[in-house]
């Protein structure tokens, strides 16, 4: 083989090895093999004086090209290795790095727990708008204008022209009950719905008040529905949510949109009804409002109160979450402090 042919073959070997080299050390090894003192190149250079002048010129030129080509390749590979990210050696004995995982807000969790009791009973989940007409929030619910009961639902009015003046001014709904009206306007009975959502009341912030909070409303309408159905459904609900030993009590109350109306209490779990600081020495804790749908409400939606009956209920989600988890300040739900949220 002529020295020129040999150099060509060596060059292709060298290029292959350079491109495979995975570290600067490996590259140096290739360099020494092909360009070092003991390399074939050095031997060929040493043999130049023994060649004829024509051969010497040829071989010398090829040897220089060979060397330059290898040096270029080495430099390129060195740059490529320097730019590549260094893979950290894998130590399988190190503890893994913890992945921070998100979770549902305690209010969302509580809403889901409440709805999960009603949906197997056949209640459908529906939602309504947070900005409402006066008509749905008040009038259709048998809360007449200038009636003192309107004042118990202090309200944020919205400073926008009403798109439907016949339905009154716009406001932020003060309860989820308007969704009862919207659903009954759209659907014929029988009807079973639960309605989660935000409500707004201009209360100053304190440990038990917030200008925005959540309610879950319920409505069941059919023929021959009685107060016994109301009691049965809500008693089963409260036992599902607070435990099978939960005692419940229905206390007469007033709501304009239900008649008769009641408030539902559960026996205080801390003192089992004997009276302690959790229940304010009463032994009972108020959980929700309820009642049989008022005939005026049925009339407002075009149902015949002689043919259908129904019950409705409404509960505050924050209140239930506070009771379930022993939380003493409603504001904690809205501050988004991770030290609080991470506990759920
Ligand atoms: N809407 C009432 C409130 O916000 C609760 C309620 C709903 C009472 C349905 C009776 C029936 O306080």
């Amino acid at each position: 083989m002529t020295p020129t042919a040999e150099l060509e073959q060596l060059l292709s070997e060298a290029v292959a090895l350079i491109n495979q080299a995975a570290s600067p050390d490996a590259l140096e090894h290739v360099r020494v093999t092909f360009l070092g003192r003991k390399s074939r190149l050095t031997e060929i250079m040493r043999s130049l004086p023994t060649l004829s002048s024509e051969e010497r010129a040829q071989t010398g030129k090829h040897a220089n090209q060979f060397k330059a080509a290898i040096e270029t390749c080495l430099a390129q590979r060195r740059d490529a290795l320097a730019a590549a990210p260094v893979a950290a050696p894998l130590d399988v004995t190190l503890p893994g790095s913890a992945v921070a995982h998100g979770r549902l807000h305690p209010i969302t969790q509580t809403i889901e727990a409440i709805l999960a009791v009603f949906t197997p009973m056949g209640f459908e989940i529906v939602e309504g708008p947070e900005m409402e007409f006066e008509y749905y929030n008040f009038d259709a619910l048998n809360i007449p204008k200038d009636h003192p009961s309107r004042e118990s639902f202090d309200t944020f009015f919205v400073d926008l022209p009403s798109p439907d003046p016949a339905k009154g001014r716009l406001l932020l709904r003060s309860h989820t009950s308007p969704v009862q009206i919207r659903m009954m306007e759209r659907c014929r009975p029988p009807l079973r719905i639960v309605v989660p959502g935000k409500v707004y009341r201009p209360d100053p912030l304190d440990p038990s008040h917030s200008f925005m909070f959540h309610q879950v409303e319920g409505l069941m309408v059919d023929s021959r529905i009685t107060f016994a159905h109301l009691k049965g459904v809500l008693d089963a609900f409260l036992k599902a949510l607070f435990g099978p030993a939960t005692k419940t009590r229905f206390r007469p109350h007033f709501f304009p949109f239900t008649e008769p109306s009641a408030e539902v209490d559960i026996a205080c779990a801390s003192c089992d009804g004997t009276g302690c600081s959790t229940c304010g020495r009463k032994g009972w804790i108020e959980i929700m409002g309820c009642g049989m749908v008022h005939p005026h409400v049925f009339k407002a939606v075009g149902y015949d109160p002689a043919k259908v009956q129904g019950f409705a209920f409404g509960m505050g989600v924050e209140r239930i979450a506070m009771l379930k988890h022993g939380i003493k300040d409603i504001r904690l739900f809205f501050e988004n402090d991770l030290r609080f949220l991470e506990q759920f």
Side-chain angles (χ1 to χ4, degrees):
M1 207 193 279
T2 64
T4 300
E6 197 187 346
L7 285 173
E8 242 163 60
Q9 194 183 322
L10 285 172
L11 180 60
S12 61
E13 279 172 35
V15 169
L17 288 172
I18 289 168
N19 288 333
Q20 281 165 28
S23 67
D25 283 353
L27 275 182
E28 178 60 9
H29 185 75
V30 178
R31 192 192 66 77
V32 170
T33 307
F34 289 90
L35 305 181
R37 268 186 302 121
K38 292 177 189 157
S39 67
R40 196 56 199 116
L41 176 69
T42 305
E43 275 178 317
I44 289 169
M45 296 294 272
R46 285 212 186 104
S47 71
L48 284 180
T50 66
L51 302 176
S52 70
S53 71
E54 200 181 310
E55 271 183 328
R56 199 188 309 151
Q58 273 291 327
T59 309
K61 187 175 139 207
H62 286 134
N64 283 332
Q65 285 171 348
F66 171 84
K67 194 173 175 220
I70 291 188
E71 278 171 348
T72 309
C73 267
L74 283 168
Q76 281 173 356
R77 184 68 185 152
R78 208 173 287 127
D79 289 349
L81 285 177
V86 186
L90 178 66
D91 181 349
V92 294
T93 65
L94 285 173
S97 43
V99 179
H101 50 98
R103 61 200 77 209
L104 295 176
H105 191 278
I107 292 302
T108 308
Q109 289 184 33
T110 307
I111 290 174
E112 289 192 352
I114 293 168
L115 299 179
V117 180
F118 287 108
T119 47
M121 296 190 207
F123 285 79
E124 235 179 287
I125 301 166
V126 300
E127 290 179 307
E130 288 169 32
M131 188 163 72
E132 217 9 311
F133 287 105
E134 255 178 313
Y135 174 75
Y136 291 109
N137 198 76
F138 293 124
D139 304 75
L141 286 164
N142 195 35
I143 311 174
K145 287 186 181 58
D146 306 320
H147 191 278
S149 63
R150 221 175 248 228
E151 275 156 35
S152 62
F153 295 99
D154 239 358
T155 309
F156 284 117
F157 283 91
V158 176
D159 208 359
L160 285 175
S162 172
D164 186 351
K167 290 185 170 154
R169 288 176 289 172
L170 290 171
L171 46 77
L172 297 182
R173 67 181 179 192
S174 56
H175 52 175
T176 42
S177 301
V179 188
Q180 290 185 33
I181 306 296
R182 287 179 173 274
M183 275 306 284
M184 287 192 282
E185 276 187 349
R186 278 190 9 221
C187 309
R188 298 287 94 195
L191 208 66
R192 266 176 293 185
I193 57 165
V194 270
V195 186
K198 290 184 168 71
V199 301
Y200 301 84
R201 292 180 193 178
D203 289 327
L205 266 177
D206 71 26
S208 50
H209 292 91
S210 165
F211 50 81
M212 184 282 292
F213 58 100
H214 297 76
Q215 285 187 331
V216 174
E217 185 90 7
L219 173 70
M220 177 165 181
V221 183
D222 206 335
S223 52
R224 297 193 297 275
I225 295 291
T226 71
F227 202 91
H229 295 111
L230 165 60
K231 286 187 78 174
V233 166
L234 294 185
D235 188 66
F237 161 67
L238 292 168
K239 285 185 164 63
L241 198 66
F242 290 102
T246 305
K247 284 185 215 127
T248 60
R249 164 174 100 167
F250 290 73
R251 186 166 35 75
H253 197 72
F254 172 79
F255 295 106
F257 31 91
T258 48
E259 181 61 35
S261 305
E263 276 190 333
V264 192
D265 300 338
I266 58 173
C268 178
S270 306
C271 61
D272 195 27
T274 57
C276 67
S277 62
T278 304
C279 55
R281 323 246 158 256
K282 288 190 263 193
W284 296 90
I285 295 172
E286 181 209 318
I287 290 288
M288 61 207 289
C290 64
M292 301 307 291
V293 178
H294 198 290
H296 289 178
V297 173
F298 280 145
K299 277 193 198 126
V301 298
Y303 284 12
D304 181 351
K307 294 211 176 97
V308 292
Q309 303 81 42
F311 64 80
F313 55 87
M315 65 193 93
V317 177
E318 280 75 4
R319 199 177 154 73
I320 290 177
M322 289 167 83
L323 275 171
K324 268 181 87 84
H325 300 292
I327 297 162
K328 298 272 179 275
D329 193 325
I330 195 172
R331 293 170 290 195
L332 287 165
F333 291 121
F334 309 118
E335 282 164 358
N336 287 331
D337 186 329
L338 286 179
R339 291 167 301 178
F340 172 73
L341 296 176
E342 275 169 359
Q343 296 177 52
F344 301 93

